């Protein structure tokens, strides 16, 4: 921690700029996040610093029992970017969750291959996978609700990041943004924990740490966004690749049985995501559909005694309205919103395995987002959750939160 403080002190002694919240590109009207702001910054400053934070209070209610509330500095994130020249940028994102977990979320070099345009960029390093909305746009001022949508926690999961490289760019005449990367994949098996993907947590535990990743076969990640209509953004994303397993380490080519065992410890993941966002005056709407398939899931579950689904699915739809829209000369917004979600990590099981209805969940979230500035908000919402085994009762939760982004 002392080393981190020393680095920060050195950074602030050089010429820098604070990353201002920029919701949309002034040319394309496409939504932006902190990483895009750093890469597309045209300022003369070399160093850009930004941050976001999320502080939560969660209180669950149950008709038959009582529960303690939970207070949490959920996450504190620091962005640091450096501009070597107008075509070469470095972006990093370091996150501390629950005051105990310090993780590197992003660390990549972006190089603009063509002078004075954004048609073709090369990017390499640790990057978030462009799947759905929240995985790329996860700053707390970019979404309503105290917590991120559960679809983007149970299915994607946010924040899914991988080491890799690829190309991206904007084709403004067509109002398209594309991304195409070769990346590492989830780990599905290691010698310490055995099989680590299951129906309860989905892929969450399969996200590899930044150092010494296991890799035997890379995957492909892609996304195309359309932003040609003011206020509208449509996206389609895809992913295809095998998971990683330590059972392939030092495996002899002649070891037929060992090869068969190792093959049973991996999944072949194919995924498609559709998403849409629309803003018109004081009205806003968004929606998302995620569809993941896990080939070889029967063999994997049999070998690991886990219960990952052959098909995992999640979707949500959200509507919001800024009730302060009639007030002139103010940047404050009070958004009343409602969101319906459904996700199921056992949507389809292979080989006759029994589906667990605990993993099929309906969730309704209703609440307020009070944006006192473009970079600060107070949030409150009420949630009703029910899985398909508890058709007559809901789990209820009240949430309060603070969101900061600069």
């Amino acid at each position: 921690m002392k080393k981190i403080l020393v680095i920060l002190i050195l950074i602030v002694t050089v010429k820098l700029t604070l990353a201002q919240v920029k919701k949309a590109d002034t040319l394309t009207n496409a939504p932006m996040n902190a990483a895009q702001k750093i890469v597309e910054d045209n300022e003369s400053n070399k160093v850009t610093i930004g941050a976001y934070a999320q502080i939560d209070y969660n209180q669950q209610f149950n008709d038959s029992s009582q529960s303690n509330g939970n207070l949490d500095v959920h996450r504190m994130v620091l962005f640091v970017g450096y501009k070597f020249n107008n075509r070469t940028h470095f972006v990093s994102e370091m996150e501390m969750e629950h005051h105990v977990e310090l993780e590197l979320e992003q660390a990549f070099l972006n190089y603009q291959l063509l002078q004075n345009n954004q048609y073709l960029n090369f990017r390499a390093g640790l990057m978030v996978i462009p799947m759905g909305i929240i995985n790329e746009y996860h700053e707390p001022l970019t979404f309503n609700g105290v917590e991120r949508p559960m679809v983007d926690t149970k299915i994607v999961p946010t924040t899914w990041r991988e080491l890799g490289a690829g190309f991206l760019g904007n084709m403004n005449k067509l109002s398209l943004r594309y991304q195409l990367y070769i990346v590492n994949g989830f780990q599905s098996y290691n010698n310490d924990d055995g099989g680590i993907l299951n129906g309860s947590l989905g892929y969450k535990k399969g996200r590899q740490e930044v150092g010494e990743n296991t890799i035997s076969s890379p995957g492909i990640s892609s996304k195309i966004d359309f932003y040609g209509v003011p206020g509208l953004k449509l996206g389609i994303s895809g992913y295809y690749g095998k998971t990683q397993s330590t059972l392939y380490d030092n495996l002899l080519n002649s070891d037929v049985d060992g090869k068969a065992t190792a093959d049973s410890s991996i999944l072949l993941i194919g995924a498609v995501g559709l998403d849409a966002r629309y803003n018109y005056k004081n009205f806003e709407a968004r929606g998302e559909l995620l569809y993941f398939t896990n080939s070889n899931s029967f063999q994997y579950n049999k070998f690991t005694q886990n219960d990952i689904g052959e098909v995992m699915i999640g979707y949500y739809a959200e509507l919001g309205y800024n009730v302060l829209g009639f007030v002139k000369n103010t940047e404050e917004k009070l958004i009343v919103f409602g969101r319906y979600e459904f996700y199921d990590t056992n949507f389809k099981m292979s080989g006759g395995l029994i589906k667990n209805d605990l993993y099929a969940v309906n969730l309704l979230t209703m609440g307020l987002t009070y944006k006192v500035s473009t970079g600060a908000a107070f949030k409150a919402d009420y949630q009703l959750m029910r899985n398909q085994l508890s058709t007559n009762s809901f789990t209820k939760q009240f949430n309060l939160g603070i969101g900061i982004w600069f």
Side-chain angles (χ1 to χ4, degrees):
M1 185 61 69
K2 290 183 178 179
K3 291 182 178 180
I4 295 175
L5 292 176
V6 171
I7 292 173
L8 293 178
I9 292 172
L10 291 174
I11 289 174
V12 298
T13 60
V14 302
K15 189 177 182 183
L16 57 84
T17 181
L18 290 176
Q20 300 298 312
V21 174
K22 189 176 180 184
K23 293 180 63 178
D25 184 275
T26 55
L27 176 64
T28 66
N29 197 44
M32 296 187 71
N33 54 27
Q36 287 173 258
K37 173 63 177 69
I38 293 173
V39 170
E40 299 178 21
D41 185 12
N42 293 319
E43 301 288 340
S44 60
N45 300 286
K46 291 287 189 181
V47 178
T48 301
I49 290 181
Y52 70 83
Q54 182 178 332
I55 303 172
D56 304 337
Y57 165 66
N58 311 109
Q59 177 64 65
Q60 192 171 109
F61 298 90
N62 190 295
D63 295 335
S64 60
S65 63
Q66 296 183 359
S67 299
N68 288 324
N70 183 58
L71 283 168
D72 187 17
V73 180
H74 196 146
R75 50 179 59 92
M76 175 65 199
V77 180
L78 176 68
F79 282 95
V80 179
Y82 187 81
K83 181 169 69 174
F84 296 93
N85 53 52
N86 289 333
R87 298 168 63 186
T88 312
H89 295 76
F90 173 74
V91 174
S92 67
E93 177 185 355
M94 184 173 293
E95 177 175 24
M96 177 175 286
E97 288 196 353
H98 314 296
H99 195 61
V100 293
E101 301 175 11
L102 185 63
E103 296 181 341
L104 190 61
E105 297 285 342
Q106 297 188 76
F108 63 81
L109 190 66
N110 193 93
Y111 176 61
Q112 183 178 314
L113 293 170
L114 303 176
Q115 186 75 34
N116 299 324
N117 68 65
Q118 290 290 332
Y119 288 154
L120 186 62
N121 293 262
F122 178 73
R123 182 172 291 184
L126 182 66
M127 307 170 292
V128 295
I129 298 298
M131 176 64 66
I133 299 175
I134 297 296
N135 209 49
E136 287 189 280
Y137 299 87
H138 48 261
E139 296 85 353
L141 271 292
T142 64
F143 61 89
N144 290 314
V146 175
E147 304 289 351
R148 295 167 179 173
M150 288 299 292
V151 167
D152 294 290
T153 300
K154 293 293 186 178
I155 305 297
V156 173
T158 304
T159 306
W160 179 13
R161 74 278 185 190
E162 298 289 357
L163 287 161
F167 299 93
L168 71 158
N170 293 331
M171 296 180 287
N172 292 329
K173 291 183 179 180
L174 299 175
S175 300
L176 294 176
R177 171 181 170 84
Y178 72 90
Q179 300 179 72
L180 180 63
Y181 307 117
I182 296 176
V183 295
N184 196 14
F186 293 118
Q187 187 178 74
S188 55
Y189 188 96
N190 64 53
N191 295 331
D192 294 327
D193 303 312
I196 52 182
L197 307 181
N198 56 52
S200 176
L201 297 175
Y203 304 117
K204 185 175 182 178
K205 294 298 184 180
R207 295 176 298 181
Q208 300 198 63
E209 299 298 330
V210 176
E212 299 181 346
N213 279 201
T214 297
I215 181 170
S216 58
S217 56
I220 298 176
S221 173
S222 63
K223 187 170 188 185
I224 296 177
D225 292 304
F226 172 76
Y227 49 81
V229 178
L232 177 68
K233 184 174 183 181
L234 302 174
I236 179 170
S237 46
Y239 176 85
Y240 186 81
K242 293 181 179 180
T243 59
Q244 315 303 319
S245 170
T246 57
L247 291 180
Y248 288 103
D249 289 342
N250 302 313
L251 181 63
L252 297 176
N253 294 331
S254 58
D255 188 350
V256 178
D257 291 337
K259 177 69 164 51
T261 299
D263 288 345
S264 296
S265 69
I266 64 168
L267 298 170
L268 175 60
I269 299 175
V272 175
L274 302 174
D275 61 82
R277 281 168 282 177
Y278 183 64
N279 292 273
Y280 178 73
K281 295 183 178 180
N282 298 315
F283 172 80
E284 61 181 51
R286 63 170 55 190
E288 181 176 274
L289 169 65
L290 301 171
Y291 187 91
F292 280 69
T293 63
N294 296 307
S295 299
N296 202 50
S297 60
F298 176 75
Q299 290 81 358
Y300 178 80
N301 287 330
K302 183 178 179 180
F303 174 63
T304 63
Q305 298 300 300
N306 284 351
D307 57 356
I308 193 79
E310 181 182 13
V311 175
M312 299 167 54
I313 192 171
Y315 55 84
Y316 72 80
E318 176 182 310
L319 297 176
Y321 187 81
N322 174 27
V323 299
L324 296 182
F326 64 91
V327 180
K328 297 182 179 180
N329 302 319
T330 181
E331 65 177 358
E332 295 186 8
K333 295 183 178 181
L334 180 59
I335 301 170
V336 180
F337 77 94
R339 179 173 65 239
Y340 170 75
E341 302 180 60
F342 173 79
Y343 62 89
D344 189 353
T345 58
N346 272 185
F347 186 73
K348 179 181 177 182
M349 302 298 290
S350 59
L353 295 177
I354 298 174
K355 168 182 166 60
N356 190 338
D357 286 335
L358 281 174
Y359 304 147
V361 177
N362 293 275
L363 174 62
L364 179 64
T365 304
M366 303 162 288
L368 303 171
T369 301
Y370 182 28
K371 295 184 178 181
V372 294
S373 77
T374 56
F378 299 100
K379 299 182 177 186
D381 62 61
Y382 184 72
Q383 294 182 303
L384 297 171
M385 180 184 297
R386 183 172 66 186
N387 60 55
Q388 290 184 352
L389 284 182
S390 56
T391 55
N392 296 320
S393 62
F394 289 92
T395 298
K396 306 160 190 175
Q397 184 164 302
F398 176 66
N399 306 300
L400 292 172
I402 300 171
I404 300 166
W405 177 26
F406 64 86

